[in-house]
Amino acid sequence: MSEGSSAIVRLDGVERHFGAVRALDGVDLTVDAGACVGLVGHNGAGKSTLMHILAGSGRADRGRITIAGHEETAYSVARAQKLGIRCVFQELSLCPNLTVAENARITHASLRGIGWRRRSAALIRAKLDEIFPGHGIDPSDVVGDLAIGQRQMVEVARAFTVTDDPLHLVILDEPTSSLDAHTAGQLLAFVRRAVGQGISSILISHMLGEILSTCDQVVVMRDGKVVATDMAAAFDRDRLVATMGGAKHRDKAGAAARARGETPVMVQARPRGQAAGAELVAHQGEVIGLAGLAGHGQTRLLLDIYRASTARRAGVAVSAPVSLVAGDRQTDGIFPLWSIAENIGIRSLASLRRGLLLSPEREAALARAWQQKIGIRTPDLDNNILSLSGGNQQKVLFARALGSDAGIVLMDDPMRGVDIGTKLEVYDLIREEARKGRTFLWYTTEMDELENCDHVYVFRNGRIVADLAQSELTEEKVIQSSFEEDGPEAAREHTR
């Protein structure tokens, strides 16, 4: 922003080191009052580290933090909160054993005394209603019982609630990564309204369209440094990708047109409670997309298929070993006490044995091979998995699945927080593995990803309501099927 404008935040020469790794190397960043700044860069560029420092949950080894014109020397989470700075991190920070209302109370010490639970419930309900109309969340719900998208909504809504402390800046680190397109649109529209009311925002997203359509200014980071700063209107997607480095635009892999049924059926599954109508069928070598609004049965069906690989389940049949790439990596994916190599090898223990014991050499060789193939950024595969950025942790889950003997790979919205360069590489890898005969079932909330699929099933209210060949796939058909309240047969007619 211009020097003459009113800066709510100014970071000068911020450095942060983790051993030999230089996560931040002299970063300067300015955010003006009433502005939305987009922060982009590949996984490991330093974005989340920088935001932890700004939120007070991380410390800088060197550099200055100035808030509203005052240099901060004893900066902390409590101080940031007092100054009106909130953060929604990519890895959610809600307490799963508490209710939505109790989680809202954590950040508002003024909610105390008789009736605090009622006041907290009213506060968070009002904000959820304002940001996400039709959210379906009750303040009495236990957070651990909510779907990941609903938890994301609660986290975002909580950050925008106000009691005694002011609200000047909200940091949103991949806030739409767990949201479907409709809910993400609600959030981004609200961010623009908040900016219009004078609340600043920093938006981190690997969805470049969100950055270009929502932000006033864009800051690009690479290898712990800011490499470009400009108004959002000065960027288009190609310039943004080129500035980030290492990821050039390529045409979508697409699916080779071919008649279904030329290869054996690998998965046949009917959603629970759907006695008649469409069922999911996946043939060998196909990439099958699962679409529709989040929380409408896609994940449940994937988990039913996963369980059917080891125990019989009504309505589900599988014909090969199965592996799962979880989207909620913290809950369902990583083993947080294990090394990176151990997290990769856990699905391949049978092939890593030498006699009755696990071979460390074979485990290390498997991890090294997939580190190179999928680009996991780490100086040492024996480091703990939590030493990696969120996107690199997700790469480990892909390496685990693709390095195994699984003929069927289930993917539960797995690209959350993954940068555009890695996405393009993974798309190519999926198509390559499909050509070798692997079958993929891919639940995604991103329309661009559905275009990499051979066939797409749209879900609504736990049922399959549309069955689309790749040649029939359009965003309009997916949205129409996701919202219409007629039966599955009518929905299929609409998609023809």
Side-chain angles (χ1 to χ4, degrees), residues 202-271:
I202 297 176
L203 175 62
I204 299 175
S205 178
H206 290 305
M207 303 289 289
L208 301 186
E210 294 179 354
I211 295 291
L212 295 172
S213 64
T214 306
C215 300
D216 303 303
Q217 183 191 30
V218 176
V219 176
V220 183
M221 291 187 68
R222 186 167 69 234
D223 298 328
K225 300 178 181 179
V226 171
V227 295
T229 300
D230 210 336
M231 303 306 294
F235 287 94
D236 59 17
R237 184 188 183 281
D238 288 338
R239 182 193 168 194
L240 203 50
V241 170
T243 306
M244 289 163 60
K248 296 181 180 178
H249 178 69
R250 289 171 281 175
D251 293 333
K252 296 181 180 68
R258 65 183 178 192
R260 300 200 79 189
E262 294 180 353
T263 54
V265 171
M266 303 301 289
V267 179
Q268 195 162 355
R270 192 184 302 278

Side-chain angles (χ1 to χ4, degrees), residues 73 90 383 411 431:
T73 56
Q90 184 178 335
N383 285 343
M411 305 193 300
R431 294 307 314 177

Side-chain angles (χ1 to χ4, degrees), residues 7 12 45 250 467:
D12 296 298
R250 289 171 281 175
D467 178 353

Side-chain angles (χ1 to χ4, degrees), residues 288-449:
I288 302 297
L290 281 63
L293 299 179
H296 279 246
Q298 303 95 328
T299 297
R300 184 171 69 178
L301 184 60
L302 288 180
L303 292 177
D304 283 346
I305 294 168
Y306 183 76
R307 295 174 185 127
S309 66
T310 55
R312 293 177 61 88
R313 296 189 73 85
V316 181
V318 298
S319 303
V322 175
S323 185
L324 172 68
V325 182
D328 187 359
R329 57 182 166 267
Q330 296 302 317
T331 301
D332 303 321
I334 66 169
F335 292 88
L337 300 180
W338 291 9
S339 71
I340 301 164
E342 289 168 332
N343 268 275
I344 293 173
I346 184 61
R347 180 58 181 77
S348 304
L349 293 181
S351 64
L352 299 179
R353 287 203 305 260
R354 180 177 291 148
L356 297 177
L357 301 177
L358 183 68
S359 167
E361 293 79 16
R362 292 182 181 180
E363 181 181 69
L366 175 69
R368 281 195 303 271
W370 281 96
Q371 178 190 21
Q372 295 171 4
K373 192 164 189 176
I374 207 168
I376 300 168
R377 295 187 58 176
T378 179
D380 191 345
L381 289 165
D382 288 328
N383 285 343
N384 183 273
I385 183 72
L386 297 179
S387 67
L388 298 179
S389 67
N392 278 286
Q393 291 178 24
Q394 200 68 28
K395 292 181 188 180
V396 169
L397 300 189
F398 272 105
R400 178 194 300 168
L402 299 178
S404 74
D405 65 348
I408 301 166
V409 178
L410 311 177
M411 305 193 300
D412 186 16
D413 206 9
M415 299 297 190
R416 296 195 312 112
V418 176
D419 64 72
I420 183 65
T422 300
K423 284 182 179 181
L424 293 174
E425 292 168 1
V426 171
Y427 299 159
D428 287 347
L429 189 57
I430 289 170
R431 294 307 314 177
E432 177 188 340
E433 292 291 319
R435 285 191 291 271
K436 294 177 182 177
R438 260 191 171 138
T439 302
F440 292 84
L441 273 65
W442 185 355
Y443 166 47
T444 174
T445 53
E446 298 183 28
M447 186 65 200
D448 284 352
E449 293 186 348

Side-chain angles (χ1 to χ4, degrees), residues 50 67 70 99 129 170 266 312 353 478 488:
L50 186 66
I67 310 296
H70 180 267
T99 67
D129 290 346
V170 178
M266 303 301 289
R312 293 177 61 88
R353 287 203 305 260
V478 172

